Short mmCIF file of all heavy atoms in Angstrom, two decimals:
data_model
loop_
_atom_site.label_atom_id
_atom_site.label_comp_id
_atom_site.label_asym_id
_atom_site.label_seq_id
_atom_site.Cartn_x
_atom_site.Cartn_y
_atom_site.Cartn_z
N VAL A 290 -12.22 -22.05 62.75
CA VAL A 290 -13.33 -22.77 62.11
C VAL A 290 -12.85 -23.13 60.72
O VAL A 290 -12.81 -22.30 59.82
CB VAL A 290 -14.61 -21.92 62.04
CG1 VAL A 290 -15.71 -22.68 61.32
CG2 VAL A 290 -15.07 -21.53 63.43
N GLY A 291 -12.45 -24.38 60.55
CA GLY A 291 -11.83 -24.74 59.28
C GLY A 291 -10.37 -24.31 59.29
O GLY A 291 -9.66 -24.47 60.29
N LYS A 292 -9.93 -23.70 58.22
CA LYS A 292 -8.51 -23.36 58.07
C LYS A 292 -8.14 -22.02 58.70
O LYS A 292 -6.96 -21.73 58.92
CB LYS A 292 -8.13 -23.33 56.58
CG LYS A 292 -8.31 -24.68 55.88
CD LYS A 292 -7.98 -24.58 54.41
CE LYS A 292 -8.18 -25.91 53.71
NZ LYS A 292 -7.91 -25.83 52.24
N GLU A 293 -9.13 -21.17 58.96
CA GLU A 293 -8.85 -19.82 59.45
C GLU A 293 -9.68 -19.50 60.69
O GLU A 293 -10.63 -20.19 61.02
CB GLU A 293 -9.15 -18.78 58.36
CG GLU A 293 -8.41 -18.99 57.04
CD GLU A 293 -6.92 -18.71 57.15
OE1 GLU A 293 -6.48 -18.23 58.21
OE2 GLU A 293 -6.20 -18.98 56.17
N SER A 294 -9.29 -18.43 61.36
CA SER A 294 -10.04 -17.98 62.53
C SER A 294 -11.29 -17.23 62.09
O SER A 294 -11.41 -16.76 60.95
CB SER A 294 -9.16 -17.06 63.38
OG SER A 294 -8.87 -15.87 62.68
N LEU A 295 -12.22 -17.07 63.03
CA LEU A 295 -13.45 -16.34 62.73
C LEU A 295 -13.16 -14.90 62.31
O LEU A 295 -13.78 -14.38 61.38
CB LEU A 295 -14.36 -16.34 63.96
CG LEU A 295 -15.02 -17.69 64.30
CD1 LEU A 295 -15.73 -17.59 65.64
CD2 LEU A 295 -16.00 -18.11 63.21
N VAL A 296 -12.23 -14.25 62.99
CA VAL A 296 -11.95 -12.85 62.64
C VAL A 296 -11.29 -12.74 61.27
O VAL A 296 -11.59 -11.82 60.51
CB VAL A 296 -11.07 -12.18 63.73
CG1 VAL A 296 -9.68 -12.79 63.80
CG2 VAL A 296 -11.00 -10.68 63.50
N TYR A 297 -10.44 -13.69 60.93
CA TYR A 297 -9.82 -13.66 59.61
C TYR A 297 -10.87 -13.86 58.52
O TYR A 297 -10.89 -13.13 57.51
CB TYR A 297 -8.75 -14.76 59.51
CG TYR A 297 -7.91 -14.68 58.26
CD1 TYR A 297 -6.65 -14.08 58.29
CD2 TYR A 297 -8.35 -15.21 57.05
CE1 TYR A 297 -5.86 -13.99 57.15
CE2 TYR A 297 -7.58 -15.13 55.90
CZ TYR A 297 -6.34 -14.52 55.95
OH TYR A 297 -5.57 -14.43 54.80
N LEU A 298 -11.75 -14.83 58.72
CA LEU A 298 -12.80 -15.09 57.73
C LEU A 298 -13.71 -13.88 57.54
O LEU A 298 -14.10 -13.56 56.42
CB LEU A 298 -13.63 -16.30 58.16
CG LEU A 298 -12.93 -17.67 58.11
CD1 LEU A 298 -13.80 -18.72 58.77
CD2 LEU A 298 -12.59 -18.05 56.68
N ALA A 299 -14.03 -13.20 58.65
CA ALA A 299 -14.91 -12.04 58.56
C ALA A 299 -14.26 -10.91 57.77
O ALA A 299 -14.90 -10.30 56.90
CB ALA A 299 -15.27 -11.56 59.96
N CYS A 300 -13.00 -10.63 58.06
CA CYS A 300 -12.30 -9.56 57.34
C CYS A 300 -12.14 -9.89 55.87
O CYS A 300 -12.36 -9.04 54.99
CB CYS A 300 -10.93 -9.32 57.98
SG CYS A 300 -10.99 -8.66 59.65
N GLU A 301 -11.77 -11.12 55.58
CA GLU A 301 -11.60 -11.56 54.19
C GLU A 301 -12.92 -11.45 53.42
O GLU A 301 -12.94 -11.02 52.26
CB GLU A 301 -11.10 -13.01 54.19
CG GLU A 301 -10.74 -13.55 52.81
CD GLU A 301 -10.18 -14.95 52.90
OE1 GLU A 301 -10.82 -15.81 53.54
OE2 GLU A 301 -9.10 -15.20 52.34
N LYS A 302 -14.01 -11.82 54.09
CA LYS A 302 -15.34 -11.78 53.47
C LYS A 302 -15.74 -10.36 53.07
O LYS A 302 -16.22 -10.11 51.97
CB LYS A 302 -16.35 -12.37 54.45
CG LYS A 302 -17.76 -12.47 53.95
CD LYS A 302 -18.62 -13.10 55.03
CE LYS A 302 -18.06 -14.42 55.46
NZ LYS A 302 -18.82 -15.04 56.55
N LEU A 303 -15.53 -9.42 53.99
CA LEU A 303 -15.90 -8.04 53.70
C LEU A 303 -15.01 -7.44 52.62
O LEU A 303 -15.47 -6.65 51.79
CB LEU A 303 -15.83 -7.19 54.97
CG LEU A 303 -17.11 -7.04 55.78
CD1 LEU A 303 -18.14 -6.24 55.01
CD2 LEU A 303 -17.70 -8.37 56.21
N LEU A 304 -13.75 -7.83 52.59
CA LEU A 304 -12.84 -7.35 51.55
C LEU A 304 -13.26 -7.86 50.18
O LEU A 304 -12.98 -7.22 49.16
CB LEU A 304 -11.40 -7.78 51.85
CG LEU A 304 -10.71 -7.06 53.01
CD1 LEU A 304 -9.40 -7.77 53.37
CD2 LEU A 304 -10.43 -5.59 52.67
N ASP A 305 -13.92 -9.01 50.14
CA ASP A 305 -14.39 -9.59 48.88
C ASP A 305 -15.68 -8.96 48.37
O ASP A 305 -16.08 -9.22 47.23
CB ASP A 305 -14.61 -11.10 49.03
CG ASP A 305 -13.30 -11.88 49.11
OD1 ASP A 305 -12.27 -11.33 48.69
OD2 ASP A 305 -13.32 -13.03 49.60
N CYS A 306 -16.34 -8.15 49.19
CA CYS A 306 -17.61 -7.54 48.79
C CYS A 306 -17.36 -6.40 47.80
O CYS A 306 -16.60 -5.47 48.09
CB CYS A 306 -18.34 -6.99 50.01
SG CYS A 306 -19.01 -8.24 51.11
N VAL A 307 -18.02 -6.46 46.65
CA VAL A 307 -17.81 -5.44 45.62
C VAL A 307 -18.47 -4.12 45.99
O VAL A 307 -18.10 -3.06 45.46
CB VAL A 307 -18.33 -5.93 44.25
CG1 VAL A 307 -17.56 -7.16 43.79
CG2 VAL A 307 -19.83 -6.22 44.30
N ASN A 308 -19.44 -4.16 46.89
CA ASN A 308 -20.17 -2.94 47.25
C ASN A 308 -19.63 -2.26 48.51
O ASN A 308 -20.20 -1.28 48.97
CB ASN A 308 -21.66 -3.26 47.46
CG ASN A 308 -22.35 -3.64 46.16
OD1 ASN A 308 -22.07 -3.08 45.12
ND2 ASN A 308 -23.24 -4.62 46.23
N VAL A 309 -18.53 -2.77 49.05
CA VAL A 309 -17.91 -2.17 50.23
C VAL A 309 -16.61 -1.51 49.81
O VAL A 309 -15.73 -2.15 49.22
CB VAL A 309 -17.64 -3.23 51.32
CG1 VAL A 309 -16.91 -2.61 52.51
CG2 VAL A 309 -18.95 -3.87 51.78
N ASP A 310 -16.49 -0.23 50.10
CA ASP A 310 -15.30 0.52 49.67
C ASP A 310 -14.11 0.33 50.60
O ASP A 310 -12.98 0.18 50.14
CB ASP A 310 -15.65 2.02 49.57
CG ASP A 310 -16.66 2.29 48.47
OD1 ASP A 310 -16.30 2.17 47.29
OD2 ASP A 310 -17.83 2.59 48.79
N GLU A 311 -14.35 0.38 51.90
CA GLU A 311 -13.26 0.23 52.86
C GLU A 311 -13.71 -0.66 54.00
O GLU A 311 -14.85 -0.60 54.44
CB GLU A 311 -12.81 1.59 53.41
CG GLU A 311 -12.18 2.49 52.35
CD GLU A 311 -11.70 3.82 52.91
OE1 GLU A 311 -11.79 4.03 54.16
OE2 GLU A 311 -11.24 4.66 52.12
N VAL A 312 -12.75 -1.48 54.50
CA VAL A 312 -13.04 -2.41 55.59
C VAL A 312 -12.10 -2.11 56.75
O VAL A 312 -10.88 -2.05 56.57
CB VAL A 312 -12.87 -3.88 55.14
CG1 VAL A 312 -13.17 -4.83 56.31
CG2 VAL A 312 -13.76 -4.19 53.96
N TYR A 313 -12.69 -1.95 57.94
CA TYR A 313 -11.93 -1.64 59.14
C TYR A 313 -12.16 -2.72 60.19
O TYR A 313 -13.30 -3.13 60.43
CB TYR A 313 -12.37 -0.30 59.74
CG TYR A 313 -12.10 0.90 58.87
CD1 TYR A 313 -12.95 1.24 57.83
CD2 TYR A 313 -10.99 1.71 59.10
CE1 TYR A 313 -12.72 2.34 57.02
CE2 TYR A 313 -10.74 2.83 58.31
CZ TYR A 313 -11.61 3.14 57.28
OH TYR A 313 -11.38 4.24 56.48
N LEU A 314 -11.09 -3.15 60.84
CA LEU A 314 -11.18 -4.05 61.99
C LEU A 314 -10.93 -3.22 63.24
O LEU A 314 -9.89 -2.59 63.37
CB LEU A 314 -10.17 -5.18 61.89
CG LEU A 314 -10.10 -6.11 63.11
CD1 LEU A 314 -11.39 -6.90 63.25
CD2 LEU A 314 -8.91 -7.03 63.02
N ASP A 315 -11.88 -3.25 64.15
CA ASP A 315 -11.81 -2.47 65.39
C ASP A 315 -11.51 -3.41 66.55
O ASP A 315 -12.37 -4.21 66.93
CB ASP A 315 -13.14 -1.73 65.60
CG ASP A 315 -13.21 -1.04 66.94
OD1 ASP A 315 -12.15 -0.74 67.52
OD2 ASP A 315 -14.33 -0.79 67.40
N THR A 316 -10.30 -3.34 67.12
CA THR A 316 -9.93 -4.26 68.19
C THR A 316 -8.89 -3.65 69.12
O THR A 316 -8.12 -2.77 68.72
CB THR A 316 -9.37 -5.58 67.60
OG1 THR A 316 -9.13 -6.51 68.67
CG2 THR A 316 -8.09 -5.35 66.82
N GLU A 317 -8.88 -4.14 70.35
CA GLU A 317 -7.86 -3.75 71.32
C GLU A 317 -6.80 -4.83 71.46
O GLU A 317 -5.79 -4.66 72.15
CB GLU A 317 -8.52 -3.50 72.69
CG GLU A 317 -8.65 -4.70 73.60
CD GLU A 317 -9.57 -5.82 73.12
OE1 GLU A 317 -10.26 -5.63 72.10
OE2 GLU A 317 -9.60 -6.89 73.75
N CYS A 318 -7.00 -5.97 70.76
CA CYS A 318 -6.22 -7.19 71.00
C CYS A 318 -5.06 -7.33 70.00
O CYS A 318 -5.28 -7.39 68.79
CB CYS A 318 -7.15 -8.39 70.90
SG CYS A 318 -6.34 -9.97 71.13
N SER A 319 -3.85 -7.44 70.52
CA SER A 319 -2.67 -7.58 69.67
C SER A 319 -2.67 -8.93 68.94
O SER A 319 -2.19 -9.03 67.81
CB SER A 319 -1.39 -7.42 70.49
OG SER A 319 -1.34 -8.39 71.53
N ASP A 320 -3.22 -9.98 69.58
CA ASP A 320 -3.27 -11.29 68.92
C ASP A 320 -4.20 -11.25 67.71
O ASP A 320 -3.91 -11.87 66.68
CB ASP A 320 -3.77 -12.36 69.91
CG ASP A 320 -2.73 -12.68 70.97
OD1 ASP A 320 -1.54 -12.41 70.75
OD2 ASP A 320 -3.13 -13.19 72.04
N ILE A 321 -5.30 -10.53 67.82
CA ILE A 321 -6.21 -10.40 66.69
C ILE A 321 -5.56 -9.60 65.57
O ILE A 321 -5.66 -9.96 64.39
CB ILE A 321 -7.53 -9.74 67.15
CG1 ILE A 321 -8.37 -10.74 67.95
CG2 ILE A 321 -8.34 -9.24 65.95
CD1 ILE A 321 -9.67 -10.20 68.48
N ARG A 322 -4.87 -8.53 65.93
CA ARG A 322 -4.17 -7.73 64.90
C ARG A 322 -3.14 -8.58 64.17
O ARG A 322 -2.99 -8.49 62.94
CB ARG A 322 -3.53 -6.50 65.53
CG ARG A 322 -4.53 -5.46 66.01
CD ARG A 322 -3.85 -4.14 66.30
NE ARG A 322 -2.97 -4.20 67.45
CZ ARG A 322 -3.34 -3.93 68.70
NH1 ARG A 322 -4.59 -3.58 68.95
NH2 ARG A 322 -2.47 -3.99 69.70
N ALA A 323 -2.43 -9.42 64.91
CA ALA A 323 -1.42 -10.28 64.29
C ALA A 323 -2.07 -11.31 63.37
O ALA A 323 -1.53 -11.64 62.31
CB ALA A 323 -0.61 -10.99 65.38
N GLN A 324 -3.24 -11.81 63.78
CA GLN A 324 -3.95 -12.83 63.01
C GLN A 324 -4.33 -12.34 61.62
O GLN A 324 -4.28 -13.09 60.64
CB GLN A 324 -5.19 -13.26 63.78
CG GLN A 324 -6.04 -14.30 63.11
CD GLN A 324 -5.46 -15.69 63.19
OE1 GLN A 324 -5.76 -16.52 62.35
NE2 GLN A 324 -4.64 -15.97 64.18
N VAL A 325 -4.72 -11.07 61.50
CA VAL A 325 -5.21 -10.55 60.22
C VAL A 325 -4.15 -9.76 59.45
O VAL A 325 -4.45 -9.16 58.43
CB VAL A 325 -6.46 -9.67 60.43
CG1 VAL A 325 -7.57 -10.47 61.09
CG2 VAL A 325 -6.12 -8.43 61.27
#
């Protein structure tokens, strides 16, 4: 969607949140892990 994938945008968004201490991506997919 635009320049990045949905999963990349979601992870980037949560990392930008000042009130979130740690961000975890939970996946079984190697392609998703490679993407982020």
